[in-house]
Amino acid sequence: MDFWHTGHRPSGPSTQSSPLHLHPHFGPYFSDGKRRVDYVLAYQIQKPNTVRKPSPKFGENNFIRRLRRSISMRSSRAPLQPKEDPEITAQEHQTDYHEDDKRFRRDEYEENLLETGLELEKDEGSKIPGIGFLKIHAPWHVLCREAEFMKLKMPTKKVRLFIHKVTAPLHPKVDVSHPHSVKSLSHPFSREKQHLFDLSDKNKFFDSTTRSSIVYEVLKRTRCTKAKYSMGITSLLANGVYVSGYPLHDVILYSYIPFVVLQLLYEEWASYSVFYKYQPIGLIRKYFGEKVGLYFAWLGVYTQMLIPAAIVGVIVFLYGCATVDENIPSMEICDPRNNVTMCPLCDQACSYWKLVTACGTARASHLFDNPATVFFSIFMALWAVLFMEHWKRRQMRLNYIWDLTGFGEEEEVSVRNVKKNKASPDHSHICLFYLYVFKYNHVLDEKVKLTCSDRLPAYMTTVVMMCLMISVTFAIVFGVILYRISIKAALHMSSYPAARSNIRATVKTTAAIINLIIIIIMDEIYAAIARWLTTLEVPKTDKSFEQRLIFKTFILKFVNAFTPIVYLAFFRGRLVGRPGKYLYVVGSYRMEECAHSGCLMELCIQLCITMLGKQLIQNNLFEIGIPKIKKLLRQRKSEMDTKQEEELNKTLRRHEKDHFLGPFIGLNPEYMEMIIQFGMVTLFVASFPLAPLFALLNNIIEIRLDAKKFVTELRRPIAAKAKDIGIWYNLLRGLSKVAVIVNAFVISFTSDFIPRLVYQYTYSPDGTLHGFTNHTLAFFNVSDFQPGTDPLEPMHLGYKVDMCRYKDYREPPWSTTPYDFSKEFWAILAARLAFVIVFQNVVMLMSDFVDWLIPDIPKDISLQMHKEKILMVELFMKEEQGKRLTMRERNTPQQPRSRPNSHTNCV
């Protein structure tokens, strides 16, 4: 191993010593066992049988210096065999040329890192073949300098906080040395004011998360400038100069060594046995950073709020089960004495059928289509508002505890300062333009400025591609519709009795499964397309890139997941026509009709299969299976089988073990699956009251699954600061608003709630629902069938049919205006529209009232923030007075001492 340093020997406070002075093999330390490894860069090592060529892109002095090192290394290499294939040799020389180019870039970048004060140590003798590691350590003076530049808030002294003792058994057993009742009073770090901070133990003042963040900021600021294009760490990683870069995990230690943070997270967070406990959010934030901590805090609040929603949803479902035998419309349908002959469901292949055969569907529909669903829709609308308000308060509490109350304002001030001082080289790392252009294997010069005309082709491509992908989704849904129509006709024509026994259930279930498979496949395709389109736009900052990517991905995935559901809820059965004048698509195929009890049951089946399928397959199974597959692929690349890797893993050091872990790709996929789930829970909850229960059960598993993934399967991410969940909050708020409108339309147009209400209070002779089924059925004379559309087996029921019934509000054939919409149709339509308007405005008004009633900032947090400001002012005043006294003592001349004799004389 080579030890690189800046001329200052690491001693005293400039190093972070191991608490137990362990051998470096057991912890993330340099070979001396004292200096902590704050960041690691991995790179490929050249094979020993290659011939190196210099890169023409570097200066002559640099070339001579590298040439000496290259000559010294050649003496240990075997000569080129004369019998080698010249084509292979030429390819190897080309590869060597690129490898030399990467090596020269690494050397320049590492020299620039040394100039910043970082200390480096190379490890090219690792047990991973072909991989070398550059271990980076930040000494004390670098940490202090960068902490002051980044305006990191560091602890000064303690203030008291109040916690609820009632929930103590539900809290994980962590933070023994830092109880919940104590919070550090923090202030932006300054080297001139080090006396304000708690520096009793300098080795622990900057924890590992802060140290890795500081080092990463230095890495981002440091650049290679001798090449044609200036390259930073992101470009170096993208172009293969470095294979990967990551901070190290803590070691999960043995029983004879004290606990570390990762050990506590593994036992108190990533274990299914503690599913009933709160998450150790403070510890998650301490180890992974504020951004990851906020995600799991939000997920915990969302899961916690699902508990009352799931309980009420189960009660609504049980109410439907308890009242199914008392439901008059389903009793009328199931009564065999009502000899109602229904019109065929398709042309020719389908024949007449009895209404009593729809008994099972009618009874099942009542489980989800009953008066309680209206109450549940109102409840869920208010629940969404309460959830958003609860999260805002929880987020504000976390901002105070994590010292993020002024984070956004400080960031804006920093950006304004950078804009005022564009020529200042020290601040050039804050605005990193064109960060993602390296995907195309080149990097733009920093001086290049893209104008609107330069960006216009990318924007046009984005608009066209987004419209094309949405059209593809619509086309897929239309294809599934054709599948349902054709398979229904085929089953009706089948000669097998088993195939014709339960045609409707077979078609509905298989179509829902096909929709689920397509949704899962297209989700992955849309995610890749959204990233590609965002890369084409060349956003100026990381934040802009992330927001654009989230917006595109959300639009595509939302349309992909909810288009089949929207079709079933609002379009199926609306554009059908009537017997004798049906609407046809693609030749002789009729548009789909709903069952007699409506499309609500099919909507429920689609929601159930989609929600359960996405959660079980896409969210949980993929999260378990894909990392395993990626691990196998990495094993293949490393040319080791499972047994060899297990044996090797026992002797690997921390930075080598982390190399085999999966890279952290961000929180966007985690947020996206939860946002889609939130849409499933709120948008169509009137048709599926069990959705909150399924979401709750999934999230209980999801939290521990994600925890285990973060702790054991992924590399440690760079700790990123964030005071909120960003654009995701706006998406949640938008979905909660849209959910009110969607549920209003589901209740009024998809369910039979409004027709039952209108009949009961307008047309019923006794004020009950007796006769409602007959009221919803229109008459049709079979002689009015269009040629070639009448049933091939008209005697299927054993008797000749002259008049059949179909569900619609139309005039009878003996009327002066046969088959026109009846006055009952227009009365019910007016009632439906009135219900939508009233429901929407009432629920929105109640939601706004709840929003106004609950303050965003908890009162105790507001008082604590005010108290903290006072304490900070008192602390500064006390220090200022101490400085004045010190200066006064220095400036005041000392009085000459009096002689003892003179004292005696005075006496």
Side-chain angles (χ1 to χ4, degrees), residues 342-353 478-490 492 504 507 567 571-595 780 784-792 804-808:
M342 302 296 294
C343 296
L345 296 175
C346 63
D347 291 343
Q348 292 187 325
C350 303
S351 186
Y352 306 105
W353 57 285
F478 185 70
V480 176
I481 294 172
L482 294 181
Y483 161 80
R484 278 198 294 255
I485 296 173
S486 59
I487 203 70
K488 184 188 297 183
H492 275 289
R504 191 179 292 273
V507 172
Y567 164 74
F571 294 98
R572 182 173 178 176
R574 310 294 173 192
L575 305 173
V576 176
R578 60 170 178 81
K581 196 177 180 181
Y582 283 112
L583 179 65
Y584 293 91
V585 291
V586 191
S588 60
Y589 288 110
R590 267 167 47 182
M591 285 296 291
E592 291 183 290
E593 295 183 55
C594 292
F780 177 74
D784 294 333
F785 272 122
Q786 291 181 349
T789 62
D790 54 325
L792 296 176
C804 64
R805 309 290 295 273
Y806 62 99
K807 187 177 181 180
D808 207 345

Side-chain angles (χ1 to χ4, degrees), residues 189 263 286 299 467 491 523 620 623 638 694 818 823 829 872 880 895:
F189 185 81
Q263 182 82 9
K286 180 180 180 181
L299 183 57
C467 294
L491 290 176
D523 269 355
N620 295 334
E623 288 188 7
S638 62
F694 290 153
K823 61 179 181 180
L829 179 61
M872 185 62 70
E880 187 67 24
Q895 296 294 333

Side-chain angles (χ1 to χ4, degrees), residues 855-872:
D856 294 343
I857 304 177
K859 187 175 181 180
D860 60 327
I861 294 298
S862 180
L863 293 174
Q864 289 287 347
M865 291 170 64
H866 181 68
K867 180 181 177 181
E868 192 168 298
K869 290 180 181 179
I870 296 175
L871 290 174
M872 185 62 70

Side-chain angles (χ1 to χ4, degrees), residues 348 350-353 790-802:
Q348 292 187 325
C350 303
S351 186
Y352 306 105
W353 57 285
D790 54 325
L792 296 176
E793 300 178 3
M795 300 295 294
H796 174 70
L797 296 178
Y799 57 88
K800 184 181 178 181
V801 177
D802 296 323

Side-chain angles (χ1 to χ4, degrees), residues 173 179 335 343 447 491 563 591 677 753 802 830 858:
K173 299 177 181 179
D335 190 353
C343 296
K447 298 180 181 179
L491 290 176
T563 300
M591 285 296 291
Q677 184 200 87
F753 175 76
D802 296 323

